[in-house]
């Protein structure tokens, strides 16, 4: 695991198939991150595309964590598994 500047990250175009979280659920999720931090890193490709963690990233940035976010880069040969 490493840290990354969240401004380097870009969304996965395939993520558009998912609806946003309902506001009450998102707020509870964000409150949990505020209390306990990011328990799971943002999963990214070597070119900084987010595979998993779009909501975690959004919540962390909204909470003021704009400098460095915990991340884990997936190796190129792992990408097909991550994009399923």
């Amino acid at each position: 695991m490493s840290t990354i500047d969240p401004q380097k990250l870009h969304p996965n175009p395939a993520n558009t198939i998912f609806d946003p979280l309902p506001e009450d659920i998102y707020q509870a999720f964000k409150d949990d991150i505020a209390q306990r931090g990011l328990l799971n890193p943002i999963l990214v490709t070597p070119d900084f595309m987010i595979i998993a963690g779009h909501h975690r990233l959004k919540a962390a940035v909204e909470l003021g964590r704009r400098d460095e976010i915990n991340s884990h880069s997936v190796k190129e040969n792992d990408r097909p598994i991550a994009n399923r």
Side-chain angles (χ1 to χ4, degrees):
M1 183 168 35
S2 59
T3 59
I4 190 167
D5 177 349
Q7 294 189 6
K8 290 183 178 180
L9 301 175
H10 58 93
N12 184 336
N15 194 54
T16 59
I17 65 170
F18 299 106
D19 292 329
L21 291 175
E23 187 57 37
D24 59 331
I25 292 173
Y26 177 73
Q27 189 59 50
F29 176 72
K30 187 174 156 182
D31 291 346
D32 185 70
I33 290 174
Q35 291 176 1
R36 302 184 324 153
L38 285 175
L39 300 180
N40 294 304
I42 308 299
L43 190 61
V44 300
T45 63
D47 64 346
F48 305 117
M49 182 178 72
I50 303 168
I51 296 172
H54 292 81
H55 292 110
R56 283 175 273 156
L57 176 63
K58 179 182 175 194
V61 169
E62 287 177 4
L63 290 166
R65 298 180 183 158
R66 300 174 194 273
D67 296 331
E68 296 290 318
I69 300 288
N70 289 336
S71 66
H72 178 72
S73 182
V74 175
K75 295 176 186 169
E76 196 65 30
N77 60 352
D78 292 340
R79 189 181 291 192
I81 294 171
N83 281 338
R84 287 186 193 166

